[in-house]
Amino acid sequence: MSQTRSKTDRPVYLIDGARTPFLKVRGQPGPFSPVDLAVQCGRPLLLRQPFPADAFDQVILGCVNVLASEMNPARIAALRLGLGERMRAFTVQINCGSGMQSIDSAFRAIREGSREMVLAGGTEALSYAPMQFKQDAVEWLAGIRGADSLLERVRQMTDVKADFLMPVLSLKQGLTDPIVGLSMGETAEVLAQLFSIEREDADQYAVISHQRLARAQQEGYLDGEVTLAFSSDGELFARDDGVRSDTSVEALSRLEPVFERPYGQVTAGNSSQVTDGASWVILASEDAVKTYKLEPRAEILDSAWSALDPRIMGLAPVLAIDALLRRNRLEREQIDLWELNEAFAAQVLSCLKAMEDADFCATALDRKEPLGAIDRATLNVDGGAISLGHPVGTSGNRIVLHLVNAMRRQGVKRGIATECIGGGQAGAMLIETT
């Protein structure tokens, strides 16, 4: 049990959950919009529940790249899922932590007594990231629209430049921090330098991620977690399609650095994949469990959020982990399984080194002794975002769901799920199986 729960706080249970296959972006809009993904994921999940669809008090959905045609996707998804016109729903956005924020918001509302059962999820269709005109092109179009006469309009049109017809991909802009001017990949390069992460080590980590996901698919570890998805033209999507079970360190070593050429070490092969996908979990109070005769899979004990310099945003999970352990009077070795979202191999490896680094732990965490090493056999046991992808609004939800499933499969009790968040933040959740 959590050491932080007051006498008035109520236990919060994770009842069930599901996610879609994660589909790799291939240069054009994918088969599903963000709401489509949420609905594809939600329908089979709700159909297997013993309670009516309108039993939820609220729907909370994380989504970063919201389409103009799907404003407040939580509400649209709730209506399409048949949860009723009276269902309250809102969308949350905290970059890569959005899917976990939806769980956290539900967790706190149930714990404090204002909700009994909440559907919390995350969805993202990065293949639908819009193209944007450059500012010069916008001003040119505005000049044409605001011209007072036909002659002035023609004159304005003749000022066109070739690059006006070359829009900017909003996803690229969104993955660049506006405060420090570094892309997420460049922040991973900073960490690689700070903690002396070798290119071969990063590539080896990526290979293991693919091998673990391939094994999980082959052994059926994801059965029940990954739902089938059907596009409008009847195409079936049954599994994550970015896994490369035959990749090797040798093959990855031939890839060029993406962010710091020619000497950088972050490549497309040791970074998270750009994907589309959605995930939902059902959270319930003890009263809801009794009312509907539910069988909880886990209890959410606590959550923590942290922040630091955006230049080293990938280290923020270490701060969130430290906060959870301190508050719940736990040691690192008392955590059986870990999910640390694989934004970049260099970022994950830097977090592991930081936890062992006495100077970092003393300076950043005010610890007399380092947190210590995480056993790699307990970390991301079925692969992660490098092999299956990182739909940013979804990943925080997926790692919580998968952590619960992996803990139950292995018969262990306690786990932590955490992820770095663009802008220099992180979220983490402490979970126990029931």
Side-chain angles (χ1 to χ4, degrees):
M1 300 293 286
S2 170
Q3 300 294 325
T4 61
R5 181 187 297 149
S6 72
K7 292 182 180 179
T8 58
D9 286 341
R10 307 188 304 169
V12 180
Y13 298 106
L14 191 150
I15 304 303
D16 200 356
R19 69 173 177 88
T20 65
F22 281 10
L23 307 178
K24 191 173 181 179
V25 172
R26 290 181 167 83
Q28 61 183 358
F32 307 105
S33 73
V35 170
D36 290 338
L37 288 162
V39 173
Q40 288 281 335
C41 178
R43 279 177 177 157
L45 174 63
L46 297 180
L47 283 172
R48 67 190 187 210
Q49 305 308 317
F51 51 80
D54 61 359
F56 293 103
D57 297 304
Q58 196 160 50
V59 173
I60 309 173
L61 184 64
C63 187
V64 178
N65 291 279
V66 176
L67 303 186
S69 58
E70 294 182 347
M71 300 307 291
N72 191 10
R75 172 63 173 171
I76 301 171
L79 290 172
R80 286 182 56 184
L81 286 169
L83 304 188
E85 295 178 356
R86 301 175 68 86
M87 184 60 60
R88 295 163 294 177
F90 66 92
T91 303
V92 294
Q93 204 273 56
I94 180 175
N95 288 339
C96 313
S98 301
M100 184 177 286
Q101 180 63 65
S102 71
I103 299 176
D104 189 61
S105 298
F107 160 65
R108 295 177 185 279
I110 294 172
R111 185 181 64 175
E112 295 162 7
S114 63
R115 303 288 184 270
E116 299 297 331
M117 194 156 63
V118 179
L119 181 63
T123 190
E124 202 73 62
L126 292 177
S127 65
Y128 277 78
M131 304 290 284
Q132 297 179 340
F133 284 112
K134 298 177 182 178
Q135 187 61 32
D136 287 348
V138 172
E139 293 174 359
W140 173 69
L141 289 169
I144 294 174
R145 183 180 179 86
D148 294 330
S149 65
L150 178 60
L151 182 62
E152 176 62 22
R153 184 170 298 177
V154 171
R155 189 198 66 76
Q156 180 70 24
M157 292 176 67
T158 61
D159 289 338
V160 64
K161 297 178 181 178
D163 67 351
F164 287 179
L165 303 178
M166 299 176 64
V168 177
L169 181 61
S170 63
L171 179 60
K172 183 177 181 180
Q173 290 181 309
L175 294 177
T176 299
D177 188 276
I179 303 300
V180 299
L182 298 178
S183 70
M184 299 301 99
E186 288 170 328
T187 68
E189 291 283 11
V190 170
L191 297 187
Q193 291 293 318
L194 287 174
F195 290 93
S196 300
I197 306 299
E198 299 292 337
R199 165 70 182 272
E200 184 176 356
D201 292 335
D203 287 345
Q204 181 63 52
Y205 182 91
V207 168
I208 292 172
S209 180
H210 283 280
Q211 291 174 342
R212 290 183 174 184
L213 177 58
R215 180 192 62 193
Q217 291 179 337
Q218 183 176 358
E219 297 295 328
Y221 294 162
L222 304 180
D223 294 352
E225 176 178 321
V226 179
T227 65
L228 302 178
F230 296 88
S231 66
S232 58
D233 60 2
E235 186 175 357
L236 169 65
F237 300 89
R239 62 195 307 173
D240 307 309
D241 65 2
V243 62
R244 299 186 297 275
S245 59
D246 60 347
T247 194
S248 65
V249 173
E250 182 182 6
L252 293 182
S253 70
R254 293 193 288 268
L255 298 176
E256 293 291 326
V258 175
F259 303 100
E260 288 192 9
R261 296 177 178 175
Y263 302 114
Q265 65 104 309
V266 179
T267 71
N270 58 36
S271 304
S272 57
Q273 298 183 41
V274 181
T275 51
D276 297 349
S279 175
W280 290 108
V281 296
I282 297 170
L283 302 185
S285 68
E286 198 164 32
D287 288 345
V289 167
K290 292 177 181 177
T291 298
Y292 296 109
K293 298 180 174 58
L294 305 176
E295 296 183 6
R297 300 181 61 79
E299 182 180 355
I300 298 179
L301 299 183
D302 198 6
S303 64
W305 300 84
S306 62
L308 43 58
D309 186 338
R311 293 177 182 83
I312 53 172
M313 69 96 188
L315 293 179
V318 180
L319 278 65
I321 289 169
D322 178 64
L324 279 183
L325 295 179
R326 285 177 185 267
R327 200 158 58 221
N328 292 274
R329 302 175 189 174
L330 293 169
E331 299 297 328
R332 169 198 44 78
E333 57 267 26
Q334 292 177 277
I335 305 302
D336 299 306
L337 283 185
W338 303 78
E339 284 286 325
L340 200 171
N341 190 48
E342 298 173 351
F344 304 92
Q347 173 261 326
V348 174
L349 294 175
S350 294
C351 283
L352 299 183
K353 281 198 170 185
M355 291 177 67
E356 298 181 74
D357 188 279
D359 290 339
F360 178 86
C361 289
T363 302
L365 308 179
D366 194 26
R367 278 184 173 263
K368 295 181 179 179
E369 299 291 336
L371 277 167
I374 293 177
D375 182 350
R376 299 282 189 91
T378 68
L379 174 67
N380 300 338
V381 294
D382 297 319
I386 289 173
S387 53
L388 66 87
H390 179 22
V392 289
T394 306
S395 292
N397 200 275
R398 182 201 71 81
I399 62 174
V400 171
L401 170 62
H402 186 70
L403 177 64
V404 170
N405 290 339
M407 286 196 297
R408 290 178 64 86
R409 185 182 81 233
Q410 293 195 9
V412 298
K413 187 69 175 178
R414 189 180 292 119
I416 286 179
T418 184
E419 80 279 286
C420 62
I421 298 171
Q425 301 187 87
M429 286 197 154
L430 175 63
I431 299 164
E432 281 189 358
T433 52
T434 54

